[in-house]
Structures are given as C-alpha cells and as structure tokens.
C-alpha cells in the first residue's frame, strides 16, 4: 500500500509532540521518579493526542472527486504491456483543472477480484482505500495528448483490473480522477495473467534436499544399529 | 515409580511441587551428588545434572539442553514461516481470507495428533532419534512450499509442516533424562519458552530473507519460495547436529532405558480415567487454549494485520510481529515466577488469582489492540498482550503439577493439546471469514479470552480452597494426602503404588500459603527415582 501525504503530516505532528513531551520532562530535573512519571505522562499525552489526531486525520473522499479525466487502456495482444491514455474532459468548465499539477495512474482491482479479499477493499476515504495498489506512472499534468506504455511488473497478481488516474494538486492531494470503466466498475475490465513464480530448477533443488534429508536420517539409523549389533555380538 | 514412560508429559515426573520455578540448582543434602561420575556438572545418582548452567555447552547435559531447545525453536520457525509472507503469498496463489484462515488452522492442528504419538516414539527410539526423526522428516514438507500453486496446496503443506511442533514432547522428554527432577521445572520452562520464541524470530527472518533474495534478482513470486529453503535447511542441519552431537542418556545412547528399583508400571487406562474425571483438567485445557492458543493464533495473523491496517512495509510489519513472539524469552518464566511469588504468601489461591489476572489482562489488551487506530498504541497493546498471554502460559504450568500426581503426564499432554486446539478454534472463528475485519476479530478474541478465563474461579482444591472459597475445614477431606491418595484404589495402596503421591502430598503443604508454617521436611527425604 502507499502512504499518502496526510499520514506523513500526521507522522511529523506525532514526532513534534513526542519531542515536546520529552523536552519538557528532561528540563524538569527534580527526582528520578518525577522525571520518569513526566516522561511517561508526556508519552501518554503524545500517544493520546496522536491517536485522536490520527483518527481525525482522514484524507479526501472518493465521492467528493469529479470524473474530470478521460482514461483509456489497451494492450497489444499477447504482450505483457499496457498502454494508457488520458486527457482532460473538455465538457467540464475551463479552469476546473487549474489546480492539477500531477497525474498519478494506477492499476486497480475490479469488484470481481475484491470478493473475500478485505485487503483490496474499496473505501470512500482515499487514505484507507485499497482498490488501487499498483502504480503505473506519475507524470506532470497536461490537458491532452498523454500516453504511457507500461510493462506489467512481476508482482502483479492474477486478477481483473481497470485503470484509474488521479489528478493531484501541488500538495499531492487528490482533486480529480478518471477511469477507463464506468461508475459501477463493470465495463472495459481486463484480466492479467500472472507468473506462478515456480521454476523447474527450484522444484529439482527442493526434491534433492528432501531426499538428502530422508536418506541421511536412514543412513545414520542404519549405521548406529549396525554398530549396536556389532558391540552386542562382542 | 508407577508411571508410563513416554506418555505425554512424563518429563514432569519427579516434580514434587515444592521446587520453586526458578531453582537453578539443587544442593547436596537434598539430592546427593555422585562423586564418582566424571561430568562437567555435578550429577545425582542417575547422572542427571543437579545444576542448570545456562551458558555452558558441556556434554552431555547442557549440550542436550541447547540442541533440544534449538530444535524446538527451528520447528516453530518452519511452522510459522509463511505468516509474515502472507501478503505476497496471497497475491501469488490468489488466496481468499478463508483460505488464509484455514491454512492457519491447519498449521496448528497437525501437532495435536503428532504430540500424542511422539511420546510413544520417544519410548521406542529415544528422544534423540525422536527429535531427529521428526525434524528431518518434516524438512521435505518445508521444501514442498516451492511446488505450491493454489490454495489447497498451501493449506496441505502448512498442515504437514505443523506436525513438527511435536518436538515439544521430545524436548521435554529429553530434558527429563538429563536433569534432576528438582530443577526440571525451570529447565523445561526455559526450553519451552525459548522454543516458542521461534514463532517470533520467523516473523523477523522471513521478510528479511525475502528482501535479500529479491535484491539478488528474483521476482517476488519466486523469492518467497526460495526463502522457504532456509527453514528447510535449518531443519536438516539441526537434525544432523542432534544425531552427531546428542545422546539419549547421560551415560550414552539408547541401549535400553534402564530403570532402577522396582517399577510397577501403571495402566494407561487408569491414568487416563483419573485425568479425564478430574474437572480441573478440563478447565485447564480450556484455559491453555486461551493463553498458548491465542499466542499461536497471533503468530499467524499479526504480521498481516500490521501490514494491512497501518500500511507498513513487509519487513517493518515483520519486526513488530517478531516482538510478540520474542517476548517469550522473559514473559513465560516471569509468569512462573509470579506464580511462585504469590504462592509463598497466599498459597494455591495466590497462584489461581495470579493466573486469572495475567490472562485477563492479556485479553483486555487484545481487545484494545483491535480497537486502536494509531500504530504506537497498537504496538504498546500488542506487547502488553504478549506479556499477559505468555506469562499466563508459564503460570498455568505452575499449577498443573498440583492437579494430580498420578496422571500428571497425561494432564500436561492434554493441556498442551488444548493449546493447539484453542489456536485452531480462534483462527477458525475470528480470522477465517470475510464477514468481519481482522481488527474486529482481534477485539472479539480479546473478549473471548476474558470470558474463557473466568472458569479458573471454579477450580477448587479441598485442601487449599479456590479463588473465592476457603479450604475445607474437614480434617480428613481438607488434607493434601486425602486428595492425592484418593486416586489410588485400596488394592493399589496395598501394593504400595501410592507412595510417591504421599511424598508429593507432604511436600505440597507449602501451597497453603504463608499463614501455615510449612511442614517439617521428613528426615529421610529420598530423591524420587525415575
């Protein structure tokens, strides 16, 4: 998963509070007990504040974004590449894209591939949303003539996908989006077949080591039994 | 000594109930030293060590200890090796949440049966071959991970690897042949705790191996398969070391397990009967399922939880998950220590309250772990939970020796099996369905821990009382002798089979707590022979 900038802001707040509380406790140099109590107290305060802050620190919601980009995806047949094109939807009033600075294109799981897999769940809060876990590309924003050919990476699992592009402002916050499928995510989906990760050489090595394990056990057993028999005979 | 050799938990034989859990050594007047023996450590008449020297590798006693706990540690590493890599494996094999949960259940279920068989194997082949046999035969199952292509293969392989957890039995059995019964409590507790640490070490090891192999050029879906070779090699290496460096008995290898003195072998059916009809056995089977059981469950689910909930990198999630299992280093002995400490003042009542407090505190922290949204708080509650659960494990075995003298072995074995059963059950209920999130599963499990710890208040010893009720005032029924000797029939008493129970009863008077002056030690306090 990716960590959005809002979490980074939260992180730095926490660090600030922690340093604050430790400084305060170090400065009050009276007894060891008081120092440790204040440290603990400051820590606890820092924790609580951070946890409250973290709970309140949610990001942009998906439902608040407008679909201002037109995105298409295609693949040359049989190859492990995906060509993505995106452009600003001119039916929106001019100036809607004035805050757009970057476009981040991601590969997203279709609902079919999210069934029984809570780690791919779609959630409205974009900080918690796990629909789009694979980054295709991030490029500076231009309203038209955008295209990118992506070689599908080896850790992309076998699933049904669509492509979504987020428009980000200069603070890296989502301000618009586009996707190559419809709102209910049923049209224009595509399947990616993954590599299995298995190799013949691995399988052979596995068998060799297994055989070695069993055989060496048997050999030890046999040798010790023989030694036992020999000494018994003596 | 009327006992079945090799039945699960017979390593507990000789435990009198008097030894403090942290006894490092037993002094000479109590157990006479055999001065003719030439060992690095002082030994008793059976050449079992009287001293537990932790950082020595002296042959055979301490060497056995280290070989034994490291073998047990290795099996934990292998059994839980998949857990921190689940985020990668689930993508490679297209697993659903149910598949992952079922694989977790499978990984702890196999050993319920293998632990029962292991006692017999140790009897036949000796603990050295028992241990080596198990870990070298389970090495192929670990290597099998490279073949796995779908959910059913994954579940099957994890099930087979799980059988290797029976090294617990060989470990404890082996310790009992090497260490005097007065220090066997500490030795076994340390070996068990350090072995359990493997469940934590693997959460650290596997992601690091995965990253290294990825950096060396492998694709992620191949790298995790290659990473499994390392636990497999560890199994093979430890097996070979055990065979080369280990020996069954202080004086050599298994020619025949020679027993001194007259041995009237007890009947398995009888000891099973007395174990099964003692209600306390079943309460502790339940309780251990919610201390050791939840520990094994967490070993399986926690790394994935931190990866998904807090968006951590794989190795970071692994590091956090590792701290849970590694706490076993101190937490389990700590539980035994607090049990002894409470017993000194309040006797058995103190032990029961201690267990209830530790396990309930663990349950509350588990509940909170699932509720919090911030990473530092989650880590804090996880650590507190680990201390509570693992200390409760140690505290449980501070009480088990007192439930029965005759059936101690079987009760220990049943309790151990209860731990694995509890783990399978909690994974099945809380972590194998997609109807609620892992976080909710943790919270519900925490609530279930608290509820299932309540039965400890029903454990009542007529001679010592229970958490809420005092001991029986009846002169006969309220004596330790009556409780322990009641497990023998008149016939058996006439044969003198109950003598060990009588000695045990005398020594266990200390469980009355500080108010009662401890009974004078009988002048001819002979050591218990195996």
């Amino acid at each position: 998963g990716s960590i959005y900038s809002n979490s980074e802001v939260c992180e730095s707040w926490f660090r600030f509070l922690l340093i604050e509380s430790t400084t305060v406790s170090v400065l009050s140099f009276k007894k060891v007990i008081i120092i440790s109590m204040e440290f603990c107290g400051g820590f606890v305060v820092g924790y609580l504040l951070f946890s409250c802050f973290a709970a309140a620190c949610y990001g942009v919601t998906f439902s608040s974004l407008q679909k201002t980009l037109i995105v298409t995806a295609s693949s040359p047949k049989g190859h492990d590449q995906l060509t993505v094109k995106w452009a600003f939807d001119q039916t929106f009033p001019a100036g809607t894209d004035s805050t757009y600075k970057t476009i981040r294109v991601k590969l997203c799981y279709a609902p079919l591939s999210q069934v029984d897999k809570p780690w791919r769940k779609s959630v409205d809060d974009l900080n918690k949303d796990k629909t789009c876990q694979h980054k295709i590309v991030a490029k500076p924003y231009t309203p038209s003539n955008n295209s990118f050919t992506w070689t599908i990476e080896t850790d992309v699992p076998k699933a049904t996908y669509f492509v979504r592009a987020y428009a980000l402002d200069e603070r890296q916050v989502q301000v618009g989006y586009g996707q190559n499928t419809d709102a209910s995510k049923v049209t224009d989906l595509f399947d990616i077949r993954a590599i299995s990760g298995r190799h013949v050489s691995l399988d052979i090595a596995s068998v060799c080591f297994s055989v070695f394990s069993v055989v060496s056990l048997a050999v030890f057993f046999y040798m010790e039994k023989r030694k036992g028999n020999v000494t018994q005979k003596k | 000594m009327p006992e079945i050799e090799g039945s699960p938990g017979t390593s507990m034989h000789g435990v009198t109930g008097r030894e403090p859990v942290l006894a490092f050594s037993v002094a000479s007047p109590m157990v006479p030293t055999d001065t003719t023996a030439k060992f690095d450590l002082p030994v008793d008449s059976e050449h079992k060590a009287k001293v537990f020297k932790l950082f020595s590798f002296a042959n055979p006693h301490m060497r056995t200890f280290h070989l034994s706990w490291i073998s047990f540690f290795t099996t934990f590493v292998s059994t839980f090796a998949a857990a921190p890599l689940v985020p990668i494996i689930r993508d490679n094999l297209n697993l659903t949440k149910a598949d992952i949960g079922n694989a977790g259940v499978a990984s702890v279920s196999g050993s319920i049966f293998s632990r029962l068989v292991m006692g017999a194997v140790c009897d036949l082949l000796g603990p050295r071959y028992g241990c080596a046999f198990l870990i070298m035969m389970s090495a192929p199952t670990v290597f099998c991970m490279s073949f796995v292509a779908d959910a059913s293969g994954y579940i099957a392989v994890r099930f087979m690897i799980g059988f290797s957890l029976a090294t617990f039995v060989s470990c404890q059995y082996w310790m009992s042949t090497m260490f005097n019964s007065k220090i066997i409590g500490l030795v076994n507790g340390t070996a068990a705790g350090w072995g359990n640490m493997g469940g934590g070490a693997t959460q650290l090891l596997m992601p690091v191996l995965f990253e290294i192999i990825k950096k060396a050029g492998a694709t992620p879906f191949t790298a995790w398969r290659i990473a499994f070779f390392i636990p497999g090699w560890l199994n093979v290496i430890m097996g070979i070391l055990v065979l080369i460096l280990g020996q069954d008995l202080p004086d050599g290898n298994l020619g025949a397990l020679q027993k001194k003195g007259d041995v009237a072998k007890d009947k398995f059916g009888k000891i099973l009967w007395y174990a099964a009809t003692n209600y306390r056995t079943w309460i502790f089977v339940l309780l251990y399922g919610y201390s050791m059981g939840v520990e094994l469950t967490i070993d399986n689910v926690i790394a994935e939880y931190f990866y998904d909930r807090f968006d951590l990198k794989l190795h970071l999630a692994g590091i956090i998950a590792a701290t849970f299992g590694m706490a076993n280093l101190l937490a389990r002995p700590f539980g035994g220590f607090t049990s002894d400490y409470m017993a000194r003042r309040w006797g058995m009542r103190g032990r029961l309250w201690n267990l209830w407090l530790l396990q309930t505190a663990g349950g509350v922290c588990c509940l909170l772990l699932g509720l919090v949204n911030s990473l530092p708080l989650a880590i804090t509650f996880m650590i507190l939970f680990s201390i509570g659960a693992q200390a409760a494990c140690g505290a449980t075995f501070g009480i088990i020796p007192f439930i029965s003298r005759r059936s101690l072995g079987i009760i220990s074995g049943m309790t151990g099996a209860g731990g694995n059963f509890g783990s399978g059950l909690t994974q099945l209920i809380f972590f194998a369905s997609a109807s609620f999130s892992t976080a909710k599963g943790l919270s519900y499990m925490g609530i279930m821990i608290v509820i299932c710890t309540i039965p400890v208040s029903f454990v009542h010893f007529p001679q010592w009382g229970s958490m809420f009720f005092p001991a029986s005032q009846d002169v006969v029924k309220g004596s330790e002798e009556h409780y322990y000797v009641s497990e023998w029939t008149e016939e058996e008493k006439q044969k003198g089979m109950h003598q060990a129970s009588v000695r045990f009863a005398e020594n266990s008077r200390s469980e009355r707590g500080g108010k009662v002056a401890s009974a004078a030690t009988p002048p001819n306090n002979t050591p218990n022979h195996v």
Side-chain angles (χ1 to χ4, degrees), chain A residues 71-221:
Chain A
V71 178
T72 54
S74 61
S75 164
K77 255 208 165 122
H79 288 216
D80 56 350
Q81 287 184 327
L82 192 66
T83 305
V84 184
K85 297 191 167 74
W86 63 96
F88 180 66
D89 189 348
Q90 299 296 337
T91 62
F92 280 88
T96 318
D97 59 345
S98 54
T99 52
Y100 295 4
K101 282 283 173 299
T102 328
I103 294 287
R104 195 186 279 159
V105 185
K106 303 189 98 171
L107 189 66
C108 309
Y109 293 106
L112 185 66
S113 290
Q114 289 175 305
V115 173
D116 283 333
K117 295 181 180 146
W119 55 90
R120 294 180 184 170
K121 206 162 149 193
S122 293
V123 169
D124 203 28
D125 176 358
L126 283 175
N127 257 359
K128 298 211 171 99
D129 181 46
K130 305 269 184 149
T131 323
C132 306
Q133 293 187 14
H134 302 275
K135 185 174 141 185
I136 294 177
V137 71
K139 271 190 166 183
Y141 171 71
T142 52
S144 57
N145 267 338
N146 296 296
S147 161
F148 183 77
T149 304
W150 181 58
T151 310
I152 299 173
E153 279 163 20
T154 50
D155 64 347
V156 170
K158 170 174 179 290
T160 311
Y161 296 92
F162 63 94
V163 176
R164 183 182 288 170
Y166 286 110
L168 309 169
D169 65 8
E170 70 255 353
R171 284 177 307 134
Q172 300 290 301
V173 175
Q174 297 89 341
V175 285
Y177 82 100
Q179 58 191 28
N180 76 315
T181 181
D182 61 343
S184 45
K185 298 181 274 188
V186 264
T187 58
D188 287 328
L189 304 172
F190 52 93
D191 286 329
I192 294 184
R193 269 177 308 160
I195 57 169
S196 74
R198 289 183 58 184
H199 283 282
V200 176
S201 52
L202 262 184
D203 293 346
I204 294 175
S206 177
V207 169
C208 286
F209 286 119
S210 306
V211 165
F212 171 73
S213 182
V214 176
V215 164
S216 45
L217 177 70
V219 163
F220 258 107
F221 193 66

Side-chain angles (χ1 to χ4, degrees), chain B residues 100-122:
Chain B
I100 298 173
N102 288 337
V105 174
S107 67
V108 297
S109 314
S111 66
I112 295 179
F113 311 105
S114 62
R115 283 183 182 191
L116 297 174
V117 171
M118 194 54 170
V121 171
C122 284

Side-chain angles (χ1 to χ4, degrees), chain B residues 84-99:
Chain B
L85 295 179
V86 162
I88 309 295
I89 301 176
R90 68 189 180 194
D91 278 344
N92 189 190
L93 305 178
N94 207 20
L95 303 176
T96 62
K97 183 160 186 196
D99 293 329

Side-chain angles (χ1 to χ4, degrees), chain B residues 379-437:
Chain B
I379 296 176
T380 309
F381 284 127
M382 186 199 72
I383 293 178
L384 291 174
F385 170 37
S386 76
I387 294 174
Q390 289 158 12
C393 290
T396 306
F397 275 91
I399 300 177
I400 299 247
F402 298 101
I403 298 178
S404 158
R405 183 60 197 81
R406 185 173 189 182
S407 308
L408 174 56
I410 285 212
I411 294 177
S412 306
M414 283 166 74
T415 307
N420 280 57
F421 184 77
S423 177
L425 188 69
T426 49
Q427 284 181 82
L428 198 60
I429 301 175
F430 300 119
F431 300 104
S433 91
S435 43
F436 45 82
S437 64

Side-chain angles (χ1 to χ4, degrees), chain B residues 53-256:
Chain B
K53 237 188 189 168
L54 197 52
F55 296 110
S56 139
F57 282 85
N59 200 20
H61 308 96
M62 289 316 299
R63 188 182 289 186
T64 300
F65 171 77
H66 291 294
L67 282 173
S68 197
W69 82 258
I70 296 178
S71 308
F72 186 37
F73 179 95
T74 305
T75 62
F76 254 87
V77 169
S78 301
T79 304
F80 294 102
L85 295 179
V86 162
I88 309 295
I89 301 176
R90 68 189 180 194
D91 278 344
N92 189 190
L93 305 178
N94 207 20
L95 303 176
T96 62
K97 183 160 186 196
D99 293 329
I100 298 173
N102 288 337
V105 174
S107 67
V108 297
S109 314
S111 66
I112 295 179
F113 311 105
S114 62
R115 283 183 182 191
L116 297 174
V117 171
M118 194 54 170
V121 171
C122 284
D123 242 356
L124 286 171
L125 303 174
R128 182 172 140 258
Y129 264 110
C131 178
F133 185 80
L134 187 57
I135 58 178
M136 289 181 87
M137 291 302 282
S138 60
T141 61
V142 180
F143 291 122
C144 268
M145 269 297 192
S146 65
F147 293 109
V148 164
D150 61 8
S152 49
Y154 178 64
I155 294 173
V157 171
R158 285 209 73 184
F159 177 67
M160 291 193 297
I161 299 178
F163 278 104
S164 64
L165 286 180
T167 33
F168 173 70
V169 175
S170 71
C171 177
Q172 310 263 290
Y173 190 110
W174 209 358
M175 297 294 94
S176 74
T177 66
M178 290 285 175
F179 291 92
N180 182 274
S181 53
K182 297 231 179 312
I183 54 172
I184 193 65
L186 174 70
V187 176
N188 271 338
T190 311
W194 288 10
N196 282 5
M197 274 202 313
T202 194
Q203 318 271 352
L204 198 58
L205 176 72
M206 296 305 283
V208 164
L209 287 173
F210 173 72
E211 297 290 335
I212 293 175
I213 295 171
K214 244 190 359 174
K215 282 229 158 62
T219 62
F221 291 168
T222 306
W224 75 264
R225 295 167 190 274
I226 300 177
F228 262 87
F229 275 75
I230 282 76
W233 290 336
L234 282 176
N235 273 34
V236 177
I237 292 170
M238 276 319 296
I240 293 178
L241 282 178
V242 159
L243 287 172
I244 297 177
L245 298 176
Q247 56 189 65
D248 292 296
L249 298 164
D251 293 319
N253 275 324
L254 186 68

